Amino acid sequence: MTAAERAGRDRTPPHPDITTITLQRVLEALVDPVRRSIVRQLHANHRDFACGSFDLPVSKSTATHHFHVLREAGLIRQHYAGTSRMNTLRLEEFDRAFPGFLPALLAQRDGEDDGDGDGD
């Protein structure tokens, strides 16, 4: 292993084993619209994204917090590519643990309640 590979591995944050993730933790992570936006952007683009490449309405430090929550909830995997921290949706692993959950979530649209009681 080269020094660069060791350095990259040392900087990779820990990720929870998918078998230890609880639905409660996932729901708590996804209650925030910014975090749902991150998950949607990763899913829509089918590739790794650097933290700074997301279209988010929050500061860099707040975005860092949101990525941390998603990683700890088991929804994303992070690794370094050069100086960029890359993010990957753990879709296949997550679907084995919670079949159909993410597709159902991603099919929903975020929006304001129009006040008629039906959630639209």
Side-chain angles (χ1 to χ4, degrees):
M1 179 182 309
T2 68
E5 289 171 330
R6 277 192 304 279
R9 182 172 289 172
D10 292 343
R11 296 187 316 168
T12 299
H15 296 87
D17 185 301
I18 202 72
T19 62
T20 66
I21 302 302
T22 64
L23 185 57
Q24 179 69 32
R25 188 170 208 170
V26 171
L27 292 172
E28 289 170 357
L30 293 173
V31 72
D32 187 279
V34 171
R35 293 192 286 266
R36 286 193 308 274
S37 174
I38 291 168
V39 170
R40 282 193 174 103
Q41 288 179 57
L42 283 169
H43 184 263
N45 291 291
H46 305 288
R47 63 182 175 98
D48 296 359
F49 262 83
C51 290
S53 299
F54 288 84
D55 181 21
L56 301 174
V58 296
S59 69
K60 184 177 178 180
S61 63
T62 301
T64 298
H65 166 73
H66 288 301
F67 287 113
H68 175 82
V69 170
L70 290 170
R71 187 182 74 244
E72 291 297 313
L75 288 157
I76 65 171
R77 183 170 300 282
Q78 294 183 308
H79 67 278
Y80 277 91
T83 59
S84 297
R85 185 176 272 194
M86 305 301 288
N87 300 276
T88 305
L89 187 60
R90 294 174 71 179
L91 188 58
E92 290 179 19
E93 291 173 273
F94 198 84
D95 200 43
R96 283 192 299 273
F98 302 100
F101 179 80
L102 276 180
L105 170 81
L106 295 168
Q108 298 299 310
R109 65 178 177 85
D110 285 342
E112 298 291 323
D113 186 352
D114 62 10
D116 67 3
D118 66 3
D120 291 335

